[in-house]
Amino acid sequence: MTTFNKVTAAHIAALREIAGVQYVLADEESMSRYAQDETEDLHYLPEVVVKPDTTEQVSRIMQLCNEALLPVTPRGGGTGLSGGALAQYGGVLISMERFNRIQLIDERNLQVITEPGVITEELQNAVKEKGLFYPPDPSSRGTCFIGGNIAENSGGPKAVKYGVVKDYVLNLEMVLPNGDIIWTGANVLKNATGYNLTQLVVGSEGTLGIVTKIVLRLIPLPKNDLLMLVPFRSAESACAAVSAIFRAGFTPSAMEFMERDALDWVTKYVQSNAVRIDDDIQAHLLIEVDGNYPEVLMQEMEGIAGVVEGFDIGEILFAEDSQQKDELWKLRRRVAEAVKANSIYKEEDTVVPRAELPVLLKGVKEIGNRYGFHSVCYGHAGDGNLHVNIIRGELTEEQWNGTLKEGIREIFELVKQLGGTISGEHGIGLVQKNYMDIIFDQTSMHLMKQIKQIFDPNNILNRGKIFDC
Amino acid sequence: MTTFNKVTAAHIAALREIAGVQYVLADEESMSRYAQDETEDLHYLPEVVVKPDTTEQVSRIMQLCNEALLPVTPRGGGTGLSGGALAQYGGVLISMERFNRIQLIDERNLQVITEPGVITEELQNAVKEKGLFYPPDPSSRGTCFIGGNIAENSGGPKAVKYGVVKDYVLNLEMVLPNGDIIWTGANVLKNATGYNLTQLVVGSEGTLGIVTKIVLRLIPLPKNDLLMLVPFRSAESACAAVSAIFRAGFTPSAMEFMERDALDWVTKYVQSNAVRIDDDIQAHLLIEVDGNYPEVLMQEMEGIAGVVEGFDIGEILFAEDSQQKDELWKLRRRVAEAVKANSIYKEEDTVVPRAELPVLLKGVKEIGNRYGFHSVCYGHAGDGNLHVNIIRGELTEEQWNGTLKEGIREIFELVKQLGGTISGEHGIGLVQKNYMDIIFDQTSMHLMKQIKQIFDPNNILNRGKIFDC
């Protein structure tokens, strides 16, 4: 393994020469703002933070670091949940925050060309003004960057109908670790021209290059939506209802699962009185349909209600207006925050074929009983994507950082057994890499490590994320 | 570059030992059936054809060939249009025709697990019986294999609404050139677990490994569709109408473009009287909408008709019943065949952002004028995917195999300039590899070649396809 060098005053001077004095931070106070993301309580201080503004600058910075063998960590909005943007080896942290321009909303072709530092929600709003829709919307959409979404192949509630980030990325401009600049594909909906470098980069967690420009496809904005909240007397039957809805031929635009605790905690956390939760309710599904024809949406909602009524439910809450819809969505989007405020926790991003959700949920609880941990589960049930929040609660230090690892391993082994995998949308980063052997055999892992080496022979870019090599 | 060895009697005996005597063909007559695909008039005879039946057998065959340095060409239905399944170096041709079992239609999870030698249309019909839909349907769907579709990342008419093959592949079992067997991913809709090996393999044209099992996602089958044929007095305005329809907020389930000659020739070829083409008509759009609500489809058809009426059209033909729909679709699907029957031709699979179609079409004709060739253009206009059929006609041998290359290069340079690429769904294979430099710079090409080398260090598998290395 290459040994990294430390960042020197000369390096900092060279970085200032490239990016401008005010965009290179080396004082501890400034840098400490770049030492964390949203992953547990991890903290890694870089040696220097640089904020380039152009592809050319990124290229020169990478050339410098590659020659000087300095570790480089690219960073978007800092909202990651797997530690992908943390400077584990110190070194140079490249913040993409100044790449915040939407370059072209191409209404003729239903495409947008954007820089990676644009906040996802701002991108969504900008295209919405033109009657266009960019669906992937992680819960952090108000602060995360579109570039980070590409690094992690993010999803969000709409993925169940509209797919995840990878389904919208057409082409990427990227700076390789040696400073070379490439485009990965073309601005087209269909492409059978060589290996799909674009899709190799999506989800690669900033380990193969630094994306500097993004071409996304857009779709026409659906004009209407309807939303309902369905309370279930058993969490497992809520999970079972998910698959039944799809088998009945419906494709909701969102299908979110929340265990009782999740909705309870967030309701208290945001002091909402939007929902009254009866004592016998164990879980909720938040179900949305969208489209252009209100009468069709009404029919679909009624059809879905008909399906869930077979599952021992409480009274369905139909959102009456956009205010009530916003309120329900706010509750769902802020669950993670509420859980975090309640206790230290570790979040596992399990995903299985959707009909296996009840088995997964039951297994998680059973494993929790054996290892003595409480979990709060919620997530994108329509995709089979269940976020398992393991609450620290009364666990001792030895349990929390010791034996719990075995419990998590058991959860992931169950996930694998059910045809699933250990991350649906958060990525592997730092915190899940020791579980990669559950999903991939040595041959596949070796292929990935060799791919990393092709792109980054000196292993300077985001080393130690996804795997060690 | 590794030098290949010739196939010996001992190799053939070993192959017979692995796959069974009757599944190893070495006589010229049998092998000649595997010497062509649908690409122009190319012809390459393998030294031996082997038809394995299990992943284990494929693994043992690959091990043998890898150790003996024998070239291997994997082959599906033999319907390819870029020469990907041709045994350019002779050697061992592995026909996947016995991998023809659909292993599981998982109605609970809307997934199917299939072997690669299943005919695409048979797969579609099998899932249709369960009320499920696998949309990608190349024109060759009645004879092509699903494995070949994955190798080429095929599209077809439905891609405009439903996406291409890559959008349905969840997981692949694959035998590497050294005989190792891997799974590329997991059976889930969302995946942020390491590099996307699945998407790296889709569209890799059988150069990275031999796919032996395929997990596809399915969607609920739309219950209804409507179809109309719109005649235009100018081919360019037909192309312009395509983009206008999307900008008006409609997403048809098919939007096919046919130049006058295409429809003329196929009408004669299949002796159909379904369509009467007035003298002043220069092109047609075949437009389909699908969904569950007939009244909505009717509204959408009317909306689309309203848009195209602004483009100097003739009388729209609305298909009245399923028989008329089938007839119109038959015409579209058999265009390539009709053109082939009419003349030797070279088919270019250009794709651009859809609003650039009129510029592309005009450019193709202008280039044709300069190089003295006639072209018949048709294709998946909704995706910006225009098949340019260059007709041999009166061209001399020197023009056809000489200067025409420069004309094709000019077409592809125009495509690149418009943001497009040189293959949308046919792949690069043998026939387009000399144009890859138009799309990818040396750095990107080098990355691809290095990826090939990781998977296939001895360069035995489908060497010479996509690029030389």
Side-chain angles (χ1 to χ4, degrees):
Chain A
M1 189 193 276
T2 326
T3 309
F4 286 130
N5 289 319
K6 300 303 282 182
V7 175
T8 64
H11 295 137
I12 291 175
L15 290 170
R16 291 198 161 127
E17 169 70 24
I18 294 169
V21 174
Q22 70 271 45
Y23 299 116
V24 178
L25 313 173
D27 63 299
E28 197 159 326
E29 197 192 324
S30 303
M31 288 194 301
S32 71
R33 292 199 301 275
Y34 296 86
Q36 286 182 280
D37 62 5
E38 296 294 328
T39 313
E40 300 171 23
D41 50 356
L42 302 182
H43 189 279
Y44 293 95
L45 205 62
E47 293 163 70
V48 60
V49 171
V50 54
K51 307 179 187 179
D53 184 39
T54 65
T55 304
E56 178 63 27
Q57 288 176 7
V58 175
S59 167
R60 288 176 62 199
I61 294 166
M62 290 310 302
Q63 251 177 297
L64 170 75
C65 295
N66 197 42
E67 281 161 21
L69 294 178
L70 304 178
V72 175
T73 306
R75 183 179 172 98
T79 60
L81 293 164
S82 52
L86 298 179
Q88 191 190 8
Y89 293 97
V92 179
L93 185 140
I94 300 183
S95 170
M96 298 301 283
E97 65 202 81
R98 294 175 67 216
F99 277 81
N100 59 357
R101 290 151 294 218
I102 297 174
Q103 295 200 324
L104 174 70
I105 299 175
D106 180 353
E107 294 177 71
R108 294 167 64 240
N109 286 304
L110 276 62
Q111 295 181 5
V112 58
I113 304 177
T114 182
E115 293 183 344
V118 173
I119 288 174
T120 305
E121 193 169 23
E122 286 176 11
L123 182 77
Q124 289 185 311
N125 289 340
V127 304
K128 197 174 179 175
E129 275 176 30
K130 314 273 185 188
L132 298 173
F133 187 30
Y134 171 71
D137 58 345
S139 289
S140 56
R141 66 176 178 183
T143 45
C144 64
F145 289 179
I146 186 72
N149 295 175
I150 282 164
E152 304 302 326
N153 191 15
S154 305
K158 301 278 184 189
V160 60
K161 179 171 176 179
Y162 293 106
V164 296
V165 167
K166 83 168 173 41
D167 302 309
Y168 291 86
V169 182
L170 300 180
N171 201 0
L172 297 169
E173 182 191 70
M174 182 165 86
V175 177
L176 299 179
N178 71 357
D180 283 353
I181 301 164
I182 64 167
W183 278 95
T184 57
N187 301 0
V188 289
L189 297 168
K190 302 165 80 173
N191 198 331
T193 313
Y195 299 153
N196 199 333
L197 298 180
T198 308
Q199 293 295 337
L200 184 61
V201 170
V202 174
S204 65
E205 307 196 32
T207 63
L208 299 180
I210 297 186
V211 169
T212 44
K213 222 168 279 170
I214 299 162
V215 185
L216 299 168
R217 78 181 179 97
L218 304 169
I219 57 176
L221 185 71
K223 297 185 181 77
N224 304 96
D225 57 56
L226 292 175
L227 186 67
M228 67 179 172
L229 185 71
V230 187
F232 290 80
R233 296 207 174 81
S234 136
E236 280 175 55
S237 69
C239 288
V242 169
S243 159
I245 291 167
F246 286 90
R247 287 159 68 190
F250 299 104
T251 304
S253 52
M255 170 95 86
E256 297 289 303
F257 170 84
M258 288 174 280
E259 265 199 306
R260 181 183 178 101
D261 278 356
L263 194 58
D264 240 2
W265 293 8
V266 73
T267 296
K268 282 173 198 141
Y269 179 70
V270 305
Q271 302 185 322
S272 167
N273 53 13
V275 182
R276 191 178 53 84
I277 311 175
D278 286 339
D279 287 346
D280 60 346
I281 296 305
Q282 295 307 317
H284 288 80
L285 287 181
L286 185 65
I287 303 173
E288 185 194 77
V289 293
D290 72 3
N292 292 331
Y293 303 93
E295 65 282 8
V296 166
L297 298 185
M298 203 58 98
Q299 273 186 57
E300 290 192 334
M301 265 317 197
E302 282 165 13
I304 293 170
V307 174
V308 296
E309 271 159 15
F311 287 85
D312 192 19
I313 60 172
E315 196 181 339
I316 298 177
L317 174 65
F318 291 93
E320 278 174 16
D321 50 29
S322 65
Q323 202 191 334
Q324 202 175 1
K325 285 178 199 168
D326 289 350
E327 187 66 19
L328 290 176
W329 272 119
K330 186 177 80 183
L331 291 175
R332 167 59 191 92
R333 287 191 181 277
R334 298 188 67 180
V335 165
E337 225 179 295
V339 174
K340 199 161 198 170
N342 202 293
S343 164
I344 293 179
Y345 72 102
K346 290 185 199 284
E347 180 164 358
E348 312 307 332
D349 178 33
T350 61
V351 58
V352 292
R354 73 167 75 90
E356 314 304 338
L357 267 180
V359 186
L360 173 61
L361 186 70
K362 193 176 167 194
V364 166
K365 298 301 175 183
E366 187 271 322
I367 293 164
N369 285 341
R370 275 192 287 111
Y371 284 84
F373 65 79
H374 179 62
S375 62
V376 180
C377 299
Y378 60 92
H380 316 298
D383 302 309
N385 187 195
L386 190 74
H387 299 320
V388 178
N389 284 259
I390 299 172
I391 306 301
R392 166 115 191 209
E394 306 295 308
L395 295 185
T396 64
E397 175 63 24
E398 196 239 314
Q399 288 174 308
W400 183 244
N401 285 316
T403 52
L404 182 56
K405 286 194 178 69
E406 287 311 305
I408 294 171
R409 183 163 276 274
E410 282 200 39
I411 292 174
F412 287 160
E413 278 165 353
L414 173 61
V415 160
K416 165 75 175 177
Q417 193 189 311
L418 296 172
T421 189
I422 63 176
S423 177
E425 56 178 19
H426 295 171
I428 299 305
L430 275 179
V431 294
Q432 309 297 19
K433 66 181 175 181
N434 292 329
Y435 303 105
M436 283 285 276
D437 64 294
I438 297 171
I439 302 303
F440 292 107
D441 61 19
Q442 286 194 351
T443 304
S444 302
M445 287 303 300
H446 188 56
L447 287 173
M448 288 191 205
K449 290 177 184 182
Q450 286 177 290
I451 289 170
K452 164 70 173 168
Q453 191 167 9
I454 288 173
F455 282 78
D456 185 14
N458 289 337
N459 200 2
I460 62 162
L461 187 63
N462 228 5
R463 186 195 286 180
K465 309 298 164 63
I466 308 180
F467 40 67
D468 288 307
C469 70
Chain B
M1 189 193 276
T2 326
T3 309
F4 286 131
N5 290 319
K6 299 304 282 181
V7 175
T8 64
H11 296 136
I12 291 176
L15 290 170
R16 290 200 161 125
E17 169 70 25
I18 294 168
V21 175
Q22 70 271 45
Y23 298 116
V24 179
L25 312 174
D27 64 299
E28 195 158 328
E29 198 192 323
S30 304
M31 289 194 300
S32 71
R33 292 198 300 275
Y34 296 87
Q36 287 181 277
D37 62 5
E38 296 294 328
T39 313
E40 300 172 22
D41 49 355
L42 302 182
H43 189 279
Y44 292 96
L45 205 62
E47 292 164 71
V48 60
V49 172
V50 54
K51 307 178 187 180
D53 186 37
T54 66
T55 304
E56 177 62 26
Q57 287 177 8
V58 175
S59 168
R60 289 176 63 201
I61 293 166
M62 290 311 302
Q63 251 176 296
L64 171 75
C65 296
N66 198 40
E67 280 160 22
L69 295 179
L70 304 178
V72 175
T73 307
R75 184 180 172 95
T79 60
L81 292 165
S82 52
L86 298 179
Q88 191 191 5
Y89 292 97
V92 179
L93 185 141
I94 300 184
S95 171
M96 298 301 282
E97 65 202 83
R98 293 174 67 216
F99 277 81
N100 58 357
R101 291 150 294 217
I102 298 174
Q103 295 199 325
L104 174 69
I105 299 175
D106 181 352
E107 294 176 71
R108 294 167 64 242
N109 286 304
L110 276 61
Q111 295 180 5
V112 57
I113 305 178
T114 183
E115 294 182 343
V118 173
I119 288 174
T120 305
E121 192 169 23
E122 285 175 11
L123 182 78
Q124 289 184 312
N125 289 338
V127 304
K128 195 173 180 177
E129 274 175 32
K130 314 274 186 189
L132 298 173
F133 188 30
Y134 171 71
D137 57 346
S139 288
S140 57
R141 67 178 178 182
T143 46
C144 65
F145 289 179
I146 186 72
N149 295 175
I150 282 164
E152 304 302 325
N153 191 16
S154 305
K158 301 278 184 188
V160 60
K161 177 169 177 180
Y162 293 106
V164 297
V165 167
K166 83 168 174 38
D167 303 308
Y168 291 84
V169 182
L170 300 179
N171 201 0
L172 297 168
E173 182 190 71
M174 182 164 87
V175 178
L176 299 179
N178 70 357
D180 283 355
I181 301 164
I182 64 167
W183 278 95
T184 57
N187 301 358
V188 289
L189 297 169
K190 300 166 81 172
N191 198 330
T193 313
Y195 299 153
N196 199 333
L197 298 180
T198 307
Q199 293 295 338
L200 185 60
V201 171
V202 174
S204 65
E205 308 197 32
T207 63
L208 299 179
I210 297 185
V211 168
T212 46
K213 222 168 279 173
I214 300 162
V215 184
L216 299 169
R217 80 181 178 96
L218 303 170
I219 58 176
L221 185 71
K223 297 185 181 76
N224 305 96
D225 56 57
L226 292 175
L227 187 65
M228 67 178 171
L229 184 70
V230 188
F232 290 80
R233 296 206 174 82
S234 135
E236 280 175 53
S237 69
C239 288
V242 169
S243 160
I245 291 167
F246 286 89
R247 287 157 71 188
F250 299 103
T251 304
S253 52
M255 170 97 83
E256 296 289 304
F257 169 82
M258 289 175 280
E259 265 198 306
R260 181 181 178 103
D261 279 355
L263 194 57
D264 239 3
W265 294 9
V266 74
T267 296
K268 282 172 198 143
Y269 180 71
V270 306
Q271 301 184 323
S272 166
N273 51 15
V275 183
R276 192 177 52 86
I277 311 173
D278 287 337
D279 287 347
D280 60 343
I281 295 306
Q282 294 306 318
H284 288 80
L285 288 181
L286 184 66
I287 303 173
E288 186 194 76
V289 293
D290 71 3
N292 291 332
Y293 303 92
E295 64 283 9
V296 166
L297 298 186
M298 204 58 97
Q299 274 185 56
E300 290 192 333
M301 264 316 195
E302 282 164 15
I304 293 170
V307 174
V308 296
E309 271 159 15
F311 286 85
D312 192 19
I313 60 171
E315 195 180 339
I316 298 178
L317 173 66
F318 291 94
E320 280 176 12
D321 50 30
S322 65
Q323 202 191 334
Q324 202 175 2
K325 285 179 199 166
D326 289 349
E327 186 68 18
L328 289 177
W329 271 118
K330 187 177 78 183
L331 291 176
R332 167 59 191 91
R333 285 192 182 276
R334 297 188 69 183
V335 165
E337 223 179 297
V339 173
K340 199 162 197 170
N342 202 292
S343 165
I344 294 179
Y345 73 102
K346 290 185 200 283
E347 181 164 358
E348 312 307 331
D349 179 34
T350 61
V351 58
V352 293
R354 72 167 78 90
E356 314 305 336
L357 267 181
V359 186
L360 174 61
L361 185 69
K362 193 176 167 193
V364 166
K365 297 302 175 182
E366 188 270 320
I367 293 164
N369 286 340
R370 276 194 285 112
Y371 284 84
F373 65 79
H374 178 63
S375 63
V376 180
C377 298
Y378 60 92
H380 315 298
D383 301 309
N385 187 194
L386 189 74
H387 300 320
V388 178
N389 284 258
I390 298 172
I391 306 301
R392 167 114 192 208
E394 307 294 308
L395 295 187
T396 64
E397 175 63 26
E398 196 240 314
Q399 287 174 309
W400 183 244
N401 284 316
T403 52
L404 182 56
K405 286 196 179 70
E406 287 311 304
I408 294 171
R409 181 163 279 273
E410 282 201 38
I411 292 174
F412 286 160
E413 279 165 353
L414 173 61
V415 160
K416 166 74 175 178
Q417 191 188 312
L418 296 172
T421 189
I422 63 175
S423 178
E425 56 178 18
H426 295 170
I428 299 303
L430 275 180
V431 295
Q432 309 296 19
K433 66 181 173 179
N434 292 329
Y435 304 104
M436 283 286 276
D437 64 294
I438 297 171
I439 302 303
F440 292 107
D441 61 20
Q442 287 194 350
T443 305
S444 301
M445 287 304 300
H446 188 56
L447 288 172
M448 289 191 204
K449 289 176 184 181
Q450 284 177 292
I451 289 171
K452 164 69 174 168
Q453 191 167 10
I454 287 173
F455 282 77
D456 186 14
N458 291 335
N459 199 2
I460 62 162
L461 188 62
N462 227 6
R463 183 196 290 181
K465 310 297 164 63
I466 307 182
F467 41 66
D468 288 308
C469 71

